[in-house]
Amino acid sequence: FSDYLVSTTDFVPTILDWCGITYPKYSLNGQQVELSGVSLLDVVVKKDTNARRPKNVFGSHILHEVTMYYPMRSARNDQYRLIHNLNWQGPFHVAEDAYGSPTWQQLLKDVENGQPTNWFKNLTDYYFRPEYELFDIKNDKEQMNNLAYNQQYATVFNELKKNLTDWESQTNDPWRGCNQTTFSC
């Protein structure tokens, strides 16, 4: 067992490394294409349970269903997770399959009747998320305490935000550099 951070972006570098294949060099939209993941072969082969990832793991979310567009980007290290809600001024959508579920319907009924939901969030916090969310996942496993706007965590926030911005540039993210208020790029 290992706590090594893994991303789906690691699959291709790992398979190529396993097969001894070098990733081809090419450009897309005038920018050199690079793999943003890392090979996991050494971690798996050596079974080093103390190995730590040399850089962040990144994530991207665009939509759950085509009509439910809510782009998000995230950066994670051993202790912190930064989430950038790119469409933070709009509501986060509830997927149709979740909305029709008995659990979600009971939640809505409880809110309507003023009953406790026994859910970790209220509906307003679920639908309307701040632009940034920063969580200390070692000390707040449920990710309930957003530290993004806490000055004591400004250094952590700024470092992860810079890493996320650098990753967006490296991957030629179409949302990179866009003004989220006016939705202009």
Side-chain angles (χ1 to χ4, degrees):
F1 178 74
S2 172
D3 289 329
Y4 193 88
L5 296 176
V6 174
S7 169
T8 55
T9 61
D10 298 331
F11 294 171
V12 170
T14 302
I15 292 167
L16 291 174
D17 190 17
W18 186 16
C19 296
I21 299 171
T22 303
Y23 188 71
K25 293 186 181 206
Y26 68 96
S27 295
L28 183 64
N29 298 327
Q31 184 172 336
Q32 180 71 34
V33 174
E34 301 173 17
L35 295 175
S36 61
V38 298
S39 174
L40 304 172
L41 201 56
D42 281 346
V43 176
V44 173
V45 170
K46 294 178 183 174
K47 297 181 181 174
D48 183 357
T49 58
N50 295 315
R52 292 291 172 256
R53 190 177 189 96
K55 58 182 181 176
N56 299 113
V57 171
F58 299 97
S60 176
H61 174 270
I62 301 294
L63 52 91
H64 181 79
E65 296 172 7
V66 72
T67 60
M68 299 176 180
Y69 189 75
Y70 194 88
M72 304 161 72
R73 303 294 183 264
S74 65
R76 156 109 196 257
N77 62 27
D78 282 337
Q79 183 156 0
Y80 297 99
R81 176 191 318 267
L82 176 68
I83 301 169
H84 186 193
N85 295 302
L86 297 165
N87 192 24
W88 60 277
Q89 293 177 317
F92 187 83
H93 303 283
V94 179
E96 194 64 35
D97 53 346
Y99 186 83
S101 73
T103 302
W104 190 261
Q105 290 303 307
Q106 183 64 48
L107 185 82
L108 293 176
K109 185 195 287 184
D110 289 346
V111 169
E112 186 176 306
N113 294 328
Q115 300 295 315
T117 63
N118 299 315
W119 196 35
F120 73 102
K121 282 189 175 197
N122 64 46
L123 286 181
T124 300
D125 289 343
Y126 175 81
Y127 286 127
F128 299 99
R129 299 168 184 209
E131 182 175 8
Y132 288 97
E133 298 174 85
L134 175 66
F135 299 104
D136 179 342
I137 53 182
K138 288 207 182 235
N139 297 306
D140 179 17
K141 293 187 186 326
E142 289 80 26
Q143 300 178 50
M144 299 294 294
N145 187 21
N146 184 4
L147 305 170
Y149 303 99
N150 182 330
Q151 285 303 307
Q152 290 179 315
Y153 293 88
T155 301
V156 172
F157 174 83
N158 290 329
E159 179 182 327
L160 282 171
K161 185 178 175 188
K162 181 188 181 323
N163 292 345
L164 186 58
T165 302
D166 290 348
W167 177 73
E168 291 168 342
S169 292
Q170 177 192 358
T171 59
N172 205 14
D173 189 321
W175 275 87
R176 170 194 51 171
C178 292
N179 181 318
Q180 306 312 315
T181 304
T182 61
F183 294 100
S184 60
C185 299

